[in-house]
Amino acid sequence: MFADVSFPISTYRVFTYSVPRNLEDRVKIGVRVSAPFGARKKVQGVVVDLRREKRFKGKTHPISAVVDETPIFDKALWDLLNWVSRHYLTPMGQVMRTAVPSRLTSSYSPPEQLMVRAVNGLGENLSALAESSPRQHRAMKFLKQRRDSIPVAALTSVIKNPWDACRALERKGYVTLARVPRIPDVSDLSFLPIQREIHFTPAQEKIMKGLEAWLEKKKFTPCLLHGVTGSGKTEIYIHLARRAELQGRRSLILLPEISLTPQIAGRFRSVFGDRVAIWHSRMTSAERAWTWKQICEDRYGVIVGARSAIFSPVRSVGLIVVDEEQESAFKQESPAPRYHARDVALMRGKLCGALTILAGATPSLESYYNQAVGKLSSIRLKTRYGGASYPQVDVVNMTEERGETGDYDSVLSRLLIEKIGERLKKGEQAILLQNRRGFSSILYCGDCGHVEMCRNCRISLTFHKAESVLKCHYCNFQKSLPRTCQECGGTELLLLGAGTQKVEEGLRERFPGLRLVRMDLDTTRRKGAYTRILTKFAEGDYDILLGTQMVAKGLHFENVTLVGIINADTGLYLPDFRAGERTFQLIYQVAGRSGRGEKPGEVVIQTSNPDNPAISCASRLDLERYYNICLSEREELTYPPFSWLAKIEFSGREREAVEREAIRFGGSMVNKPEHISALGPAPCPIERIKNNFRYQIIFKSPKKKDENGSKLHRFLENVFVNSSFSSRARGMGTYVDVDPASLL
Ligand code: ADP
Ligand code: ZN
């Protein structure tokens, strides 16, 4: 027998191997195997086809080993991976590497550790030991104070080399030793388990009944649950997941970045206990391997996870939820496959006959549109649970403010300062958003206008005050703050563009003794830091939580009655057709953090563009209006959801070579169907990242009745896959991004 194997490399070719007799009954389509490849003895790949005769002319090598004891995919999941491979124009081997990282196998066994416990009823008398062996005596004294067994390794705090001592003690009958698997503790995410009795309100009840009926049908039902924050969506997911369990089916709950939404994970934990698996990017590899194996063994009813959880090898999926479906974190940017978990979720739902809920308070424009045209069933939850009212919003025009106060460097308006002061007096809390970390994002020369840029990227360097360095937020290049302009030698250097650190400094100057905590990438790098900050904030240890968009997501604090948006314009003018949508969503979401309890909330939005529709609509919390403005703009410019989009990016060290390659590619598209337009080749808006120059071509194919995206796909497949264009140019990367989330 012969097997075609796909490896995790960026070629669409598959390689033929012979299947040794003794492996014949275990080598199946969809199973991972290892085989000699190139110069390497054993490389993991996946079997994509099996046949009796050999079609390949050359010499074939035998497969060395089978990685998976049993196929890890059922048919639906295998079909899903094939769809991902086709849709995102990514070889199967690479899809597999994302869906099933190579360290995960269903036969994983965790490392073992040696546990020790004191034998019961030893009496108090250990004096014999005290004389013959003082080390063992010390260990015994320690062990006797503990009722349970402890890892032998834990005794290192008491004596050196406890293993020897424990073995000796075992021989003498003082202790028992046991080897147990060291199962990773995957529970540290359960942040403030919240248990409360739920009686659904009539509005919730009505929605629940409809959803339950869909779930009972066991058919693919895609819908958009558009519900304001705090309307009880999470309670609905929990309830539905329970119902799915009763049907013997499993639930996949996808959250944008789970380590950023520990409260929701915690709520699932408190209801499902050990039946819920948590899956996210910050797990250690042991935690991952262990969880994955347990998933294979069908130990969980619910998987709560970040985007890659959509590939969990659960067998019978009844419910899929994509919460905050508009989040760009659902899109994998690198490496390939550059998939969007929301779209993969819809496909998985289709293949499994699952109720598939896309949910959020600020849906993506695509889903909003799909619901309007009936592709997604529409479910609305218009009111917050408990009747908490909408916050009162004030907009401060910062251009006028600065004109009036004459303080052109200030980041805090008088109104915001006043409102913060009120909160401090009343013992209430505030959340402040400044969606940019560091101290200031630009070092500007007042004499010549030069802006200090990264050596490797076309990005200005951000000043970090605590370390007194300039840093690149793309490649982490650092340099110390120059005294004079690198260009003209001038000394008039200005720090412009406030980041979170500068806002923090301003607040501390204004309110001495302020209990403020800053939450951005710089303060949450260490594992658990994020949860720690939020726990302390929830417990009232801080008055103010200041941070980047991290503070906008899924948080629920009843004592927060003020939200301040320091600069609503950050990101508004990025050269990307989704910039306005993103800005609107962020403002709308963070505004929803205010007044979630009994006390009414307030929001202060600081902006220099109060008339920009994204900002004016967000300040009136008028989503429909903004989305309709946005939709007509997109329609006019044939952007999604009115077209299919794909981006081909070229990158490499030498600008000329990259440009040449992009132009050559442009010229090779002889059979481009007329209705597909190609923009470019042109330099990407961020022309250089990490020393790589970048060019792009964007393909747009208007959605018409007869175009479901397949024409664009076929065309791309021809130019990109079949000609294996990418392999020709040396030292150059060429990649395709289907349905790109960003054009930067
Ligand atoms: P969303 O997910 O839409 O933001 P949540 O499900 O988090 O909303 O609900 C907001 C808060 O209201 C949560 O603390 C939740 O437990 C509570 N809640 C929602 N509905 C009910 C209900 N019917 N009974 C009791 N508490 C509820
Ligand atoms: Zn850089």
Side-chain angles (χ1 to χ4, degrees):
M1 214 160 33
F2 296 91
D4 284 347
V5 178
S6 174
F7 291 98
I9 49 174
S10 59
T11 170
Y12 294 86
R13 268 183 68 199
V14 293
F15 300 83
T16 304
Y17 289 83
S18 59
V19 181
R21 268 280 143 69
N22 61 334
L23 294 181
E24 263 187 8
D25 50 340
R26 282 166 57 207
V27 174
K28 303 197 174 96
I29 291 181
V31 152
R32 285 175 297 173
V33 294
S34 64
F37 184 69
R40 288 159 64 200
K41 284 243 166 58
K42 278 188 184 171
V43 178
Q44 238 183 52
V46 59
V47 177
V48 292
D49 206 358
L50 279 175
R51 61 173 71 93
R52 296 251 141 243
E53 283 95 52
K54 177 168 101 162
R55 251 190 252 153
F56 174 65
K57 293 272 163 21
K59 180 172 154 33
T60 51
H61 295 277
I63 281 172
S64 331
V66 178
V67 175
D68 303 302
E69 282 310 314
T70 48
I72 41 184
F73 307 120
D74 57 6
K75 170 127 184 15
L77 189 45
W78 179 243
D79 288 349
L80 182 76
L81 298 179
N82 277 289
W83 177 82
V84 169
S85 167
R86 280 194 316 276
H87 185 81
Y88 295 104
L89 300 167
T90 303
M92 193 57 184
Q94 281 187 315
V95 174
M96 284 291 280
R97 189 172 51 182
T98 284
V100 197
S102 62
R103 259 186 255 113
L104 307 181
T105 83
S106 49
S107 52
Y108 171 81
S109 56
E112 293 191 327
Q113 65 180 343
L114 197 59
M115 303 289 287
V116 56
R117 99 186 272 167
V119 168
N120 282 336
L122 277 177
E124 290 309 306
N125 197 354
L126 294 171
S127 50
L129 267 185
E131 273 160 38
S132 64
S133 167
R135 278 177 61 237
Q136 293 172 21
H137 182 247
R138 245 183 296 152
M140 276 315 291
K141 275 202 353 217
F142 186 79
L143 284 171
K144 281 195 52 140
Q145 287 159 11
R146 295 183 169 57
R147 252 179 284 137
D148 273 332
S149 50
I150 63 165
V152 173
L155 283 171
T156 39
S157 61
V158 188
I159 56 171
K160 261 200 223 149
N161 194 359
W163 288 271
D164 281 357
C166 285
R167 283 204 193 87
L169 285 166
E170 186 191 28
R171 278 195 301 276
K172 296 177 190 165
Y174 284 101
V175 301
T176 54
L177 293 176
R179 285 200 165 277
V180 298
R182 180 166 36 195
I183 295 170
D185 176 16
V186 283
S187 61
D188 72 321
L189 264 175
S190 43
F191 173 79
L192 301 181
I194 302 164
Q195 246 143 353
R196 60 166 64 94
E197 221 174 300
I198 302 296
H199 298 284
F200 284 118
T201 62
Q204 291 172 332
E205 186 71 30
K206 190 157 156 256
I207 286 170
M208 275 306 315
K209 283 278 167 294
L211 288 166
E212 271 177 19
W214 283 337
L215 188 67
E216 295 304 327
K217 277 199 204 136
K218 302 195 175 176
K219 277 211 207 109
F220 173 51
T221 321
C223 54
L224 175 67
L225 170 52
H226 177 183
V228 296
T229 30
S231 56
K233 294 187 295 297
T234 310
E235 298 298 345
I236 290 177
Y237 314 151
I238 291 174
H239 183 86
L240 288 171
R242 272 219 205 91
R243 299 293 294 226
E245 271 249 86
L246 294 178
Q247 296 181 326
R249 299 204 292 167
R250 313 282 163 251
S251 301
L252 297 176
I253 313 292
L254 302 190
L255 307 176
E257 171 50 81
I258 193 165
S259 56
L260 300 188
T261 37
Q263 287 181 324
I264 297 180
R267 279 161 69 184
F268 273 88
R269 261 271 155 69
S270 63
V271 174
F272 291 91
D274 288 347
R275 296 281 300 155
V276 53
I278 300 211
W279 187 262
H280 61 94
S281 60
R282 291 198 177 185
M283 294 163 93
T284 65
S285 51
E287 286 165 355
R288 262 165 193 276
W290 173 252
T291 307
W292 201 80
K293 174 192 157 87
Q294 300 275 104
I295 294 176
C296 289
E297 291 173 0
D298 200 21
R299 298 287 167 95
Y300 300 117
V302 185
I303 319 285
V304 179
R307 70 173 174 250
S308 66
I310 194 56
F311 298 116
S312 313
V314 278
R315 299 282 148 162
S316 166
V317 181
L319 171 71
I320 305 177
V321 174
V322 185
D323 192 41
E324 303 289 355
E325 57 89 33
Q326 81 288 346
E327 281 294 325
S328 55
F330 285 120
K331 169 84 179 181
Q332 169 145 314
E333 293 294 349
S334 183
R338 299 180 167 80
Y339 68 96
H340 201 303
R342 173 191 61 215
D343 301 332
V344 179
L346 287 168
M347 187 43 77
R348 187 159 191 187
K350 195 166 172 179
L351 293 165
C352 301
L355 169 59
T356 307
I357 304 178
L358 312 183
T362 51
S364 64
L365 211 60
E366 282 86 345
S367 298
Y368 183 82
Y369 176 75
N370 283 336
Q371 159 230 242
V373 297
K375 281 194 193 155
L376 296 170
S377 303
S378 159
I379 306 167
R380 289 295 320 253
L381 258 177
K382 290 198 173 163
T383 49
R384 283 188 177 182
Y385 173 73
S389 51
Y390 282 107
Q392 141 87 34
V393 184
D394 283 302
V395 178
V396 179
N397 182 335
M398 286 307 275
T399 312
E400 288 172 9
E401 173 81 10
R402 287 180 183 132
E404 282 164 29
T405 59
D407 180 357
Y408 290 91
D409 196 34
S410 92
V411 288
L412 300 167
S413 63
R414 290 162 296 177
L415 185 71
L416 185 56
I417 289 172
E418 178 194 319
K419 303 238 180 245
I420 293 172
E422 283 170 16
R423 294 307 170 305
L424 296 178
K425 254 188 231 132
K426 284 197 268 183
E428 294 172 1
Q429 292 168 294
I431 292 181
L432 301 181
L433 170 80
Q434 171 65 335
N435 200 14
R436 202 178 258 159
R437 66 193 170 93
F439 189 84
S440 67
S441 51
I442 289 178
L443 179 66
Y444 177 85
C445 170
D447 291 334
C448 76
H450 172 73
V451 171
E452 195 66 21
M453 305 290 276
C454 173
R455 196 173 62 184
N456 313 317
C457 313
R458 244 198 95 101
I459 287 290
S460 63
L461 292 170
T462 300
F463 179 54
H464 285 244
K465 194 164 188 180
E467 301 131 281
S468 192
V469 291
L470 294 170
K471 279 192 203 177
C472 170
H473 285 180
Y474 273 76
C475 72
N476 217 24
F477 166 76
Q478 305 194 3
K479 67 188 269 190
S480 54
L481 189 66
R483 301 242 168 120
T484 53
C485 173
Q486 310 286 293
E487 198 64 26
C488 72
T491 50
E492 202 45 33
L493 293 181
L494 305 169
L495 289 165
L496 303 180
T500 45
Q501 295 177 6
K502 178 158 182 189
V503 177
E504 174 176 0
E505 190 180 270
L507 283 162
R508 289 197 191 284
E509 271 167 21
R510 196 47 94 142
F511 301 101
L514 182 68
R515 299 181 310 154
L516 173 144
V517 64
R518 177 162 59 84
M519 190 160 80
D520 53 29
L521 209 57
D522 299 312
T523 62
T524 53
R525 270 186 226 280
R526 256 184 288 138
K527 202 178 166 180
Y530 181 85
T531 310
R532 252 193 322 278
I533 292 177
L534 291 183
T535 310
K536 292 183 86 178
F537 185 65
E539 286 168 355
D541 287 3
Y542 299 111
D543 305 311
I544 291 189
L545 173 66
L546 160 70
T548 52
Q549 34 96 34
M550 282 183 182
V551 302
K553 314 285 176 206
L555 304 174
H556 180 90
F557 301 108
E558 304 215 331
N559 196 33
V560 170
T561 58
L562 174 67
V563 161
I565 299 167
I566 306 292
N567 181 1
D569 312 335
T570 315
L572 188 59
Y573 293 113
L574 289 175
D576 189 304
F577 71 95
R578 287 195 181 89
E581 180 188 348
R582 297 248 161 78
T583 303
F584 175 89
Q585 288 166 345
L586 184 61
I587 298 176
Y588 191 97
Q589 277 163 14
V590 73
R593 304 297 128 210
S594 179
R596 307 227 347 156
E598 309 257 292
K599 296 169 230 164
E602 284 185 294
V603 178
V604 175
I605 301 177
Q606 304 188 144
T607 172
S608 297
N609 300 279
D611 297 328
N612 182 294
I615 290 173
S616 67
C617 293
S619 67
R620 275 179 272 126
L621 300 171
D622 191 347
L623 186 140
E624 320 277 298
R625 183 176 156 76
Y626 180 67
Y627 277 36
N628 287 322
I629 294 176
C630 229
L631 279 175
S632 52
E633 269 175 24
R634 300 261 182 106
E635 184 162 24
E636 209 169 292
L637 301 169
T638 2
Y639 272 120
F642 299 95
S643 64
W644 303 97
L645 218 59
K647 171 172 86 172
I648 295 192
E649 188 178 310
F650 308 84
S651 68
R653 302 271 146 173
E654 283 173 60
R655 205 189 62 78
E656 289 75 26
V658 176
E659 185 178 20
R660 228 181 300 124
E661 188 71 357
I663 290 171
R664 186 166 77 83
F665 187 95
S668 75
M669 302 182 298
V670 273
N671 292 325
K672 184 171 74 60
E674 213 151 88
H675 73 282
I676 298 177
S677 50
L679 313 175
C684 299
I686 301 172
E687 209 178 322
R688 189 157 67 121
I689 294 180
K690 299 184 186 171
N691 261 330
N692 274 312
F693 287 92
R694 307 160 72 227
Y695 268 69
Q696 64 183 19
I697 304 180
I698 291 166
F699 295 96
K700 257 200 307 197
S701 174
K703 280 186 193 172
K704 299 219 187 79
K705 279 220 174 64
D706 59 335
E707 165 65 314
N708 57 5
S710 58
K711 285 190 187 142
L712 177 61
H713 262 91
R714 230 169 302 133
F715 164 69
L716 289 173
E717 227 164 56
N718 275 333
V719 287
F720 198 71
V721 180
N722 299 345
S723 67
S724 28
F725 188 88
S726 52
S727 59
R728 281 200 254 157
R730 295 191 149 263
M732 290 264 314
T734 309
Y735 76 74
V736 57
D737 187 350
V738 178
D739 312 329
S742 140
L743 298 183
L744 296 179

